[in-house]
Amino acid sequence: MRSIPTRFYVFLFIISCSQIYSQTVSSIIKDAETQQPIPYATVQLSNKKGVITNEEGRFTLQLDQQFKEADSLFISCMGYVGLGKPLNQFTENVILLTPKTIELNPVIVSNKQFTAEELIEAVKNNLDKNYSQNITKKRLFFRESYHQHLSKTDYTFKESTIEALNERFLDSVLHTIPKETSHYTEVLGDFYGDYNKDNQKLTLIKASELYDKQNELDLTALEEKFNDILKKNIKPDSYFKIKSGLFGTKMDADEILASAADSTDVDALKKEMEAKQKREENRKKYFASHKKRALGNIMGKLFFLEDSNLNFINKNRRYKYNIVDFTYMGDQPVYLVDFEPKRSEDYKGRLYINADDFAIVRVNYSNVKSLKTFKLLGVSMDQFLAQGTMLFAKGMNNQYKLQYLEEELGTKVRIKRPLKIIELNKHVKGRNKQNELSLKIDMATMGTSKHQIIIFDTESISSAQLEAVTENNDLLPTYMPDFDPEFWKGHTIIEPNKAIREFTSAE
């Protein structure tokens, strides 16, 4: 494992004006009493730019050419005393925030004491006032993290009439498949539009992919080996029947062998190169489109949208609510309200509701049951995890805008059933079965994905401005086999967590 230098995490201040552009402020924010990291704290430089701490309390803030020594750094988090002072007075690599003593505002005390249900009704009645669904331009950073764990890879070998397709070969197949895989994609760009997916555009500024290419190379080599075995053992006019349980699928031998083109065949090689070029063109074309679609899907989950599956406000009759506490976010009084389903809804969580304007400024939610399950003929699927956090900040027009969104999803899949691959040939007299591979497989995998979006700036734009935007579809992500702390230098992003910082490909 390649470790990251300690200096990467320490506050760094370079006073020389000629080096201002490259300056960064990096630190960890912790609770002064418990010494625990504080996630989702807001770090802002003299109301010019800001960032959110990650789940480990870490942040890095880029200082641009407009930075002045007199500029102050302001740090705030719900339930803590805010902290603000000039940058040069921050001399430690850990910043401590003190928990805030709750003193109820006399106005709040003298107001009508809301029940939880009345408070939620007030939230619902003020959705249109507090949250805009107009067309905007958002400068954002989007990180996708995916992890897969192959928990079971068992099989029972029954029969194979192709000598090369034996237990030893199948063992090598299982050995080649990685038990743990991770893939990280990061994108910085401008996201345009409203919450209608047909009315959205994305222009990319920079992107990266962090994963182990060796996993791909191993599987490619395995595929080539498998194709070579088939090419030597089957007839050109054969076809295969793949049987698993009650169903069977036919596949021509030519289809299976198509990817095993003879490199000495000039025409085949030319076609292969053309296909490779086409794939590269599609990759350029669809990378940005895929990210735009992913962002649109995630944005469509915001609770104030009528068709969101997070329906604990729009369908509030289906939930139970309980006021559990009262705190402050800066100087704003905030109710803490827990919710859970009365009957068959999917989520429970906590709402942080501004007591002055009844806006939800933060949501934490998690599923109370599997969102979807499937089981048929030895194949089962369980969407067992769906949890997230949303943070909102008040803009210049007194409406709230999304500042940070995080969601984590998890799915388990298991396949336990017989599998047969049978070669058939209609020109062979008598029984036309030529070769057969028969086994019973028992495999299980668990995949979890995490999406993080931090929005730095939001500005309203017109339909004409949206129409005039030309999407940048040519930018490809830079591949990184190991984490590179220099890649995002000059850009403010949400800090990577320990798993990303320590990621390195296998030698």
Side-chain angles (χ1 to χ4, degrees):
M1 289 287 203
R2 188 177 66 182
S3 61
I4 301 169
T6 303
R7 63 180 179 275
F8 182 63
Y9 303 121
V10 179
F11 247 28
L12 180 62
F13 295 99
I14 307 170
I15 304 302
S16 171
C17 292
S18 63
Q19 297 179 341
I20 281 177
Y21 181 77
S22 63
Q23 287 188 62
T24 61
V25 177
S26 298
S27 190
I28 306 171
I29 298 178
K30 293 185 176 181
D31 185 302
E33 295 182 359
T34 66
Q35 299 297 308
Q36 293 300 307
I38 302 176
Y40 316 129
T42 299
V43 181
Q44 196 158 11
L45 179 63
S46 294
N47 296 319
K48 293 179 180 178
K49 59 166 59 177
V51 72
I52 303 290
T53 59
N54 70 1
E55 60 265 47
E56 299 169 350
R58 297 180 182 275
F59 76 91
T60 294
L61 187 64
Q62 301 290 334
L63 307 180
D64 58 25
Q65 293 178 343
Q66 283 71 48
F67 161 70
K68 299 181 178 61
E69 288 186 47
D71 285 346
S72 293
L73 195 67
F74 296 93
I75 302 171
S76 60
C77 187
M78 197 171 301
Y80 289 89
V81 178
L83 181 62
K85 56 185 178 181
L87 279 170
N88 55 15
Q89 292 185 23
F90 288 96
T91 58
E92 303 296 330
N93 67 324
V94 174
I95 301 174
L96 300 177
L97 293 187
T98 303
K100 189 169 188 175
T101 303
I102 304 302
E103 297 178 359
L104 291 180
N105 188 319
V107 176
I108 299 297
V109 173
S110 62
N111 278 347
K112 174 187 175 182
Q113 297 300 301
F114 290 100
T115 66
E117 287 71 21
E118 289 171 334
L119 194 57
I120 297 302
E121 281 292 341
V123 169
K124 188 175 181 178
N125 293 335
N126 284 275
L127 286 180
D128 292 339
K129 183 185 74 173
N130 286 325
Y131 306 96
S132 171
Q133 298 188 36
N134 294 333
I135 300 173
T136 61
K137 172 188 174 183
K138 299 179 177 70
R139 172 64 57 86
L140 55 77
F141 176 78
F142 178 32
R143 175 182 291 137
E144 294 179 286
S145 307
Y146 179 73
H147 307 280
Q148 180 169 291
H149 171 63
L150 193 59
S151 57
K152 195 167 189 178
T153 56
D154 295 341
Y155 75 94
T156 302
F157 185 84
K158 292 187 176 182
E159 177 187 6
S160 177
T161 59
I162 299 178
E163 184 177 352
L165 293 179
N166 51 32
E167 286 189 81
R168 184 176 179 181
F169 174 75
L170 294 176
D171 285 340
S172 71
V173 170
L174 296 180
H175 179 73
T176 303
I177 298 175
K179 300 297 185 291
E180 302 281 347
T181 56
S182 296
H183 192 122
Y184 305 95
T185 305
E186 297 179 332
V187 165
L188 180 69
D190 291 322
F191 187 69
Y192 300 83
D194 49 27
Y195 296 102
N196 180 350
K197 295 177 186 177
D198 296 327
N199 202 33
Q200 296 172 343
K201 293 184 178 181
L202 175 66
T203 60
L204 299 178
I205 298 171
K206 197 171 186 179
S208 69
E209 282 187 305
L210 176 64
Y211 65 98
D212 188 350
K213 265 189 179 178
Q214 189 60 44
N215 289 339
E216 284 193 348
L217 295 176
D218 288 345
L219 293 176
T220 300
L222 177 63
E223 182 182 3
E224 291 174 354
K225 183 177 179 181
F226 186 76
N227 284 335
D228 186 59
I229 291 172
L230 292 180
K231 189 175 182 180
K232 291 176 180 178
N233 287 273
I234 67 175
K235 299 180 183 299
D237 52 356
S238 292
Y239 65 92
F240 281 89
K241 190 170 185 181
I242 302 173
K243 297 180 67 176
S244 181
L246 299 178
F247 300 102
T249 302
K250 289 185 178 180
M251 184 179 297
D252 290 338
D254 289 341
E255 294 178 9
I256 295 178
L257 299 177
S259 59
D262 188 345
S263 60
T264 63
D265 188 329
V266 177
D267 290 336
L269 186 59
K270 182 180 178 181
K271 290 180 180 179
E272 187 176 342
M273 294 298 293
E274 289 175 351
K276 184 176 181 180
Q277 183 178 355
K278 184 66 175 178
R279 287 195 299 271
E280 184 67 13
E281 291 173 356
N282 286 339
R283 184 169 177 246
K284 288 182 179 180
K285 181 179 180 180
Y286 294 119
F287 176 77
S289 298
H290 174 72
K291 297 307 166 190
K292 178 177 69 174
R293 189 164 54 251
L295 283 166
N297 289 336
I298 296 170
M299 295 289 191
K301 298 177 182 179
L302 297 180
F303 68 88
F304 56 82
L305 300 176
E306 189 173 350
D307 56 352
S308 171
N309 62 340
L310 299 177
N311 60 0
F312 40 78
I313 297 299
N314 284 318
K315 305 291 185 182
N316 56 307
R317 303 295 183 188
R318 302 179 182 180
Y319 291 85
K320 294 186 292 185
Y321 302 90
N322 181 35
I323 300 175
V324 294
D325 208 344
F326 186 88
T327 187
Y328 282 85
M329 188 178 70
D331 295 327
Q332 297 298 314
V334 176
Y335 288 102
L336 276 61
V337 179
D338 283 354
F339 66 91
E340 62 181 35
K342 288 181 178 178
R343 290 177 292 276
S344 60
E345 296 303 316
D346 297 323
Y347 298 99
K348 66 177 181 179
R350 175 166 292 181
L351 308 174
Y352 298 73
I353 302 172
N354 188 309
D356 291 336
D357 56 20
F358 305 107
I360 294 177
V361 295
R362 175 172 171 173
V363 178
N364 294 342
Y365 67 89
S366 61
N367 59 310
V368 296
K369 61 182 180 181
S370 294
L371 298 187
K372 185 183 295 184
T373 58
F374 172 87
K375 190 172 184 180
L376 180 66
L377 301 174
V379 179
S380 60
M381 183 273 292
D382 179 10
Q383 291 185 0
F384 70 95
L385 177 65
Q387 60 186 21
T389 297
M390 298 177 187
L391 304 179
F392 297 85
K394 184 179 284 190
M396 299 296 292
N397 58 357
N398 286 326
Q399 287 188 311
Y400 287 81
K401 59 183 181 179
L402 179 66
Q403 186 179 26
Y404 177 74
L405 184 149
E406 176 180 307
E407 69 168 359
E408 189 172 4
L409 309 172
T411 303
K412 297 176 182 177
V413 176
R414 185 176 183 184
I415 302 174
K416 185 178 182 181
R417 61 192 302 169
L419 174 66
K420 282 189 179 183
I421 302 177
I422 304 170
E423 180 194 358
L424 302 173
N425 190 297
K426 60 184 178 181
H427 298 300
V428 177
K429 295 180 180 179
R431 296 185 62 188
N432 60 1
K433 183 168 67 175
Q434 300 296 302
N435 287 301
E436 178 178 318
L437 172 64
S438 178
L439 64 156
K440 186 174 183 179
I441 57 175
D442 187 358
M443 303 184 69
T445 182
M446 180 177 71
T448 57
S449 59
K450 188 174 186 178
H451 303 133
Q452 295 172 283
I453 302 172
I454 180 169
I455 299 175
F456 304 108
D457 300 298
T458 300
E459 62 177 278
S460 296
I461 61 173
S462 66
S463 298
Q465 288 174 304
L466 175 63
E467 183 68 25
V469 172
T470 300
E471 292 184 286
N472 176 11
N473 290 327
D474 294 328
L475 181 69
L476 288 178
T478 299
Y479 168 69
M480 294 188 295
D482 307 298
F483 173 70
D484 180 6
E486 298 297 312
F487 182 80
W488 289 105
K489 189 174 182 179
H491 298 282
T492 295
I493 65 170
I494 186 168
E495 269 291 275
N497 60 21
K498 182 179 179 181
I500 298 176
R501 296 194 305 272
E502 294 183 351
F503 183 89
T504 182
S505 295
E507 295 293 338

